[in-house]
Amino acid sequence: MRTDYHMHTPLCGHAVGAPREYVLAAQAAGLAEIGFSDHNPMATQFDDWRMGPGQLPEYVALIEEARREFPDYPIRLGLECDFIAGHEAHVQKLSTLADWDYLIGAVHYITPEWDVDNPKHLKRWTEVPVDEIWQRYFDAYTAMAESCLFDFLAHPDLVKKFGHRPEGDLMRFYKPALDAVAEAGCVLEVSTAGLRKEVNEIYPSAQFLRAARERQIPIVINSDAHAPAEVAHEFDQAYAFAREIGYTHVMRFAGRKAKPVRIE
Ligand code: ZN
Ligand code: FE
Ligand code: FE
Ligand code: ZN
């Protein structure tokens, strides 16, 4: 039975639907369990796409309310944490503030003021070489893996979101990140969110996932739903993709422990 551990709430300001609607959508899609993972608060007001610095208790209460409404359905509590160099201690602090089932690490910021997946910065893609943008992204991803702060790492090649790709073999970007993930014993996310974006491709690419499989890096398959209708989005395609590459298991998360379950 399938799971979906990457789902947002309206607290981040760019997702719609109450948690109960995500639960109903998950049940309708036949998922065995789900988990919420909204964008983490920063220590100060940081940008316009996450809960405010004081809103963590509100977020936890929102998920607890859904748990009360669906007592027989497993609803995990997670958080999608931005990995930004210099903010590691903040993530460490967040990890102590609730009974998390898992923390997701994500690279969105490739400089302190450039969230690479934000369409408001699209013009910068014409000003900075694509190679340099990809290099910054994967350097950050590698550092994120090395930090060992997270239970799994989100959307591995998010930097392709708008369809920009450097010339030549992309393994030169993938390899250091994959080696660091394998070394850290961390789990990678296979995300169907890319199918809803300009690139129209699962995160990560087949080449990336094949290289992850060679390193025996475990995976988790998620939708990154920002609306109830996106829960379990294109999961048949994602599971077929993982199976084709040779994956036989996906990971489940509870109490910050991961365990493999067989893909049917
Ligand atoms: Zn989001
Ligand atoms: Fe993300
Ligand atoms: Fe997300
Ligand atoms: Zn995300």
Side-chain angles (χ1 to χ4, degrees), residues 80-95:
E80 178 177 8
C81 300
D82 270 86
F83 179 81
I84 304 170
H87 291 267
E88 292 87 345
H90 177 64
V91 173
Q92 201 86 56
K93 173 91 190 298
L94 287 172
S95 75

Side-chain angles (χ1 to χ4, degrees), residues 6 8 12 14-15 38-39 49 80 108 117 224 226:
H6 194 152
H8 291 270
C12 67
H14 64 278
D38 215 350
H39 296 287
W49 53 267
E80 178 177 8
H108 304 103
D117 60 326
D224 203 349
H226 286 69

Side-chain angles (χ1 to χ4, degrees), residues 217-239:
I217 296 170
I219 56 165
V220 56
I221 297 177
N222 294 324
S223 70
D224 203 349
H226 286 69
E230 293 172 354
V231 173
H233 177 247
E234 296 289 4
F235 267 19
D236 286 345
Q237 184 179 334
Y239 276 81

Side-chain angles (χ1 to χ4, degrees), residues 65-112:
E65 187 187 317
R67 283 172 163 169
R68 277 195 301 277
E69 190 176 345
F70 301 92
D72 302 320
Y73 193 69
I75 301 173
R76 305 296 179 207
L77 176 66
L79 197 65
E80 178 177 8
C81 300
D82 270 86
F83 179 81
I84 304 170
H87 291 267
E88 292 87 345
H90 177 64
V91 173
Q92 201 86 56
K93 173 91 190 298
L94 287 172
S95 75
T96 68
L97 297 182
D99 283 326
W100 304 113
D101 288 305
Y102 54 89
L103 295 182
I104 311 180
V107 170
H108 304 103
Y109 282 90
I110 60 164
T111 77

Side-chain angles (χ1 to χ4, degrees), residues 11 24-25 45 48 50 62 64 79 82 84 87 90 94 96 109 120 142 147 151 249:
L11 273 181
L24 292 171
Q45 195 62 48
D48 60 359
R50 67 186 65 248
L62 206 56
E64 275 168 0
L79 197 65
D82 270 86
I84 304 170
H87 291 267
H90 177 64
L94 287 172
T96 68
Y109 282 90
K120 95 177 175 201
T142 303
S147 78
D151 300 291
H249 292 74

Side-chain angles (χ1 to χ4, degrees), residues 156-227:
D157 58 357
L158 174 71
V159 68
K160 74 182 175 187
K161 174 178 175 176
F162 301 114
H164 307 84
R165 256 180 276 240
E167 307 270 312
D169 188 355
L170 299 174
M171 271 311 284
R172 67 188 190 277
F173 299 100
Y174 301 159
K175 187 179 182 303
L178 283 160
D179 288 344
V181 175
E183 174 71 26
C186 203
V187 176
L188 280 176
E189 178 182 69
V190 171
S191 170
T192 61
L195 295 169
R196 307 190 296 271
K197 302 292 154 50
E198 286 82 343
V199 69
N200 191 24
E201 207 182 274
I202 286 173
Y203 305 122
S205 67
Q207 185 186 24
F208 187 104
L209 195 60
R210 240 179 268 118
R213 173 78 189 130
E214 281 163 15
R215 288 164 175 77
Q216 295 173 24
I217 296 170
I219 56 165
V220 56
I221 297 177
N222 294 324
S223 70
D224 203 349
H226 286 69

